């Protein structure tokens, strides 16, 4: 019986294998026919026309501006003028001694700032300079004050440029005070003789401090003292320049006598006085603030170099090429760029004064000569001295 069952089982498996093989052969035979049947394509779509890119405007660049930059590059100050100016400033430093420091303004070799320590200038609450005198070679070894000798040095430089090296000498003398208020009944802030010398008429007129004056009124007078200090130094310089009686008619010279009150001290970080390290709210006196700063600007006549661009044209490429060529010549010190730019850091501007540039309260200014078309660059002065308009 078992052998019958095993025989039937083997027969059933053989039948199944034959059926599976037939099915596989039928599928293989059917595949080529199925593969060649057409695939239904999607409905055709209209072809969209490609948009042309938007035209870009032709920007020729600011050719006149680039050409102007090239012209300024080629108009240079002669090296002889620069050397003479540096020699004069070395002499100024020698006259004033170690109490004063000399530095350029924005790296301009024709614009200088002279800072002098307070111990070389003023006592607290006073504007009078020391009467100490010394021999001055520029005045035939005459015994004069150091600031008179400084004026003589500057005047000698200017007069020695008869060939046309310098066309203007600009000076700004800037006075400062600390926070110590003027004493009651004091007239030390009036400096009436200096007001007369420079033709200065403040409005309202300055008056002595009343005996019953409060601190605010005494501080107001203290701000006036800053102008008196500047005027005291400016007077000595102008005398050394030979302007004893005719200070109002300076030819090719400009002078600004400027008092900035307590603004320098207030502008220090946290109001701290450098010499004693306390803020002005804690301690009113500050020797560093009892001083005068002197800005000196030599304005030269300029000369155009003989070398010009070797390519001519008014197109942007040519303009940029010529500017680059001049810049490279300056970098290597060729004749096209010998010397220094003539208008890098002006002290006075060819522009009328603006109402928006009115002096803050407690600041005082006298300019010589007065001119409606020239004004002191007050922003430049403030930036150079790190003074805020407080």
């Amino acid at each position: 019986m078992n052998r019958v069952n095993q025989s039937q089982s083997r027969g059933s498996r053989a039948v199944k294998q034959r059926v599976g093989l037939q099915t596989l052969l039928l599928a293989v035979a059917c595949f080529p026919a199925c593969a060649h049947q057409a695939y239904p394509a999607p409905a055709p779509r209209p072809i969209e026309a490609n948009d042309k890119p938007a035209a870009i405007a032709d920007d020729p660049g600011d050719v006149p501006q680039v050409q102007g930059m090239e012209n300024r590059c080629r108009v240079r100050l002669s090296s002889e003028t620069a050397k003479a100016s540096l020699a004069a400033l070395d002499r100024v430093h020698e006259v004033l001694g170690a109490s004063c420091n000399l530095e350029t303004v924005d790296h301009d070799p024709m614009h200088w700032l002279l800072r002098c320590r307070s111990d070389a200038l003023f006592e607290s609450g006073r504007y009078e300079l020391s009467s100490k005198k010394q021999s001055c070679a520029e005045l035939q070894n005459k015994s004069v004050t150091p600031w008179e000798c400084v004026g003589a040095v500057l005047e000698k430089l200017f007069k020695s440029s008869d060939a046309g090296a310098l066309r203007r000498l600009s000076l700004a003398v800037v006075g400062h005070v600390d926070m110590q208020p003027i004493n009651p009944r004091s007239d030390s802030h009036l400096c009436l003789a200096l007001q007369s010398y420079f033709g200065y008429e403040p409005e309202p007129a300055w008056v002595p401090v009343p005996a019953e004056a409060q601190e605010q009124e005494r501080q107001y007078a203290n701000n006036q003292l800053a102008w008196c200090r500047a005027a005291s130094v400016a007077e000595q310089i102008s005398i050394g320049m030979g302007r004893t009686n005719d200070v109002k008619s300076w030819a090719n010279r400009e002078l600004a006598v400027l008092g900035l009150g307590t603004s320098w001290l207030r502008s220090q970080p946290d109001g701290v006085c450098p010499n004693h390290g306390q803020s002005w709210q804690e301690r009113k006196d500050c020797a560093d603030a009892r001083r005068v700063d002197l800005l000196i600007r030599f304005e030269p006549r300029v000369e155009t170099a003989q070398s010009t661009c070797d390519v001519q044209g008014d197109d942007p490429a040519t303009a940029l090429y010529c500017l680059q060529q001049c810049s490279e010549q300056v970098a290597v010190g060729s004749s096209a760029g010998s010397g220094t730019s003539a208008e890098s850091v002006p002290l006075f501007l060819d522009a009328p004064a603006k109402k928006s540039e009115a002096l803050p309260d407690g600041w005082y200014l006298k300019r010589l000569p007065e001119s409606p078309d020239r004004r002191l660059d007050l922003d430049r002065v403030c930036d150079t001295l790190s003074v805020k308009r407080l």
Side-chain angles (χ1 to χ4, degrees):
M1 176 65 75
N2 289 336
R3 282 195 289 271
V4 172
N5 290 338
Q6 291 175 355
S7 177
Q8 289 176 350
S9 177
R10 285 195 294 271
S12 176
R13 286 197 297 272
V15 172
K16 290 180 180 179
Q17 290 175 353
R18 284 195 296 271
V19 173
L21 180 60
Q22 290 173 354
T23 302
L24 178 60
L25 292 172
L26 180 62
V28 172
C30 181
F31 178 76
C34 295
H36 285 84
Q37 289 182 359
Y39 181 80
R45 293 180 299 172
I47 299 176
E48 297 180 1
N50 293 330
D51 293 334
K52 295 182 178 180
I56 300 177
D58 182 19
D59 183 7
D62 194 345
V63 173
Q65 182 178 3
V66 176
Q67 291 175 334
M69 294 171 65
E70 184 208 351
N71 290 336
R72 288 191 293 273
C73 175
R74 295 188 184 278
V75 177
R76 309 297 290 178
L77 170 67
S78 70
S79 57
E80 289 77 11
T81 302
K83 290 178 181 178
S85 302
L86 292 174
L89 288 166
D90 284 342
R91 174 64 178 143
V92 167
H93 199 202
E94 178 186 0
V95 169
L96 295 175
S99 61
C100 297
N101 296 323
L102 195 62
E103 59 191 68
T104 60
V105 177
D106 288 350
H107 307 289
D108 181 356
M110 303 300 289
H111 194 169
W112 293 79
L113 168 63
L114 190 64
R115 298 178 183 268
C116 293
R117 295 202 310 269
S118 59
D119 57 7
L121 293 176
F122 308 104
E123 297 178 2
S124 180
R126 308 300 301 179
Y127 67 84
E128 296 87 354
L129 286 165
S130 169
S131 59
K132 179 181 178 181
K133 296 186 177 183
Q134 63 188 50
S135 176
C136 181
E138 288 74 13
L139 293 173
Q140 293 77 45
N141 294 319
K142 181 180 177 181
S143 181
V144 297
T145 65
W147 289 105
E148 284 183 64
C149 195
V150 167
V153 172
L154 297 177
E155 185 69 10
K156 180 180 179 180
L157 170 66
F158 198 85
K159 287 183 176 180
S160 67
S161 64
D162 292 337
L166 296 177
R167 69 186 184 97
R168 185 182 287 125
L169 173 61
S170 300
L171 302 173
V173 188
V174 188
H176 311 273
V177 291
D178 58 18
M179 298 296 296
Q180 288 185 297
I182 296 293
N183 293 327
R185 300 189 181 91
S186 173
D187 61 356
S188 62
H189 63 289
L190 298 183
C191 59
L192 296 177
L194 290 174
Q195 289 188 44
S196 176
Y197 180 82
F198 289 107
Y200 183 44
E201 298 178 358
E203 295 181 1
W206 297 348
V207 296
V209 180
E212 67 280 4
Q214 301 298 313
E215 181 169 341
Q216 183 177 2
E217 190 173 358
R218 294 163 61 199
Q219 286 288 4
Y220 189 79
N222 191 41
N223 289 331
Q224 297 166 358
L225 178 64
W227 185 90
C228 292
R229 286 177 172 170
S232 185
V233 170
E235 179 194 37
Q236 295 296 309
I237 292 175
S238 63
I239 291 174
M241 297 178 73
R243 301 303 187 275
T244 305
N245 299 316
D246 196 21
V247 71
K248 301 177 185 179
S249 59
W250 284 19
N252 301 322
R253 285 86 165 163
E254 286 179 309
L255 172 66
V257 183
L258 177 64
L260 297 186
T262 59
S263 295
W264 180 86
L265 179 55
R266 291 173 179 268
S267 299
Q268 298 307 298
D270 299 322
V272 172
C273 174
N275 66 282
H276 59 59
Q278 294 178 262
S279 70
W280 59 266
Q281 292 95 338
E282 300 169 333
R283 182 172 170 179
K284 302 295 184 181
D285 69 298
C286 180
D288 284 342
R290 297 195 301 269
R291 71 171 206 282
V292 165
D293 295 317
L294 177 62
L295 287 160
I296 307 170
R297 167 68 171 148
F298 302 110
E299 187 171 331
R301 298 186 188 276
V302 296
E303 58 185 21
T304 303
Q306 298 297 320
S307 175
T308 58
C309 186
D310 56 12
V311 176
Q312 300 298 319
D314 293 328
D315 59 289
T318 300
L320 290 172
Y321 170 82
C322 291
L323 176 60
Q324 180 180 358
Q325 182 194 64
C326 181
S327 300
E328 291 174 351
Q329 290 173 334
V330 171
V332 300
S334 70
S335 61
S338 61
T340 320
S341 177
E343 297 293 340
S344 53
V345 190
L347 182 56
F348 290 83
L349 302 174
D350 287 321
K354 300 178 182 179
K355 292 183 179 180
S356 60
E357 296 176 345
L359 294 175
D361 187 38
W363 290 19
Y364 301 95
L365 171 65
K366 174 61 179 178
R367 279 198 49 226
L368 293 171
E370 296 284 359
S371 172
D373 299 322
R374 293 278 288 176
R375 64 179 173 87
L376 177 68
D377 189 350
L378 196 58
D379 290 335
R380 170 72 61 192
V381 173
C382 291
D383 289 343
T384 302
L385 301 181
S386 299
V387 171
K388 300 176 183 177
R389 300 195 187 200
L390 301 174

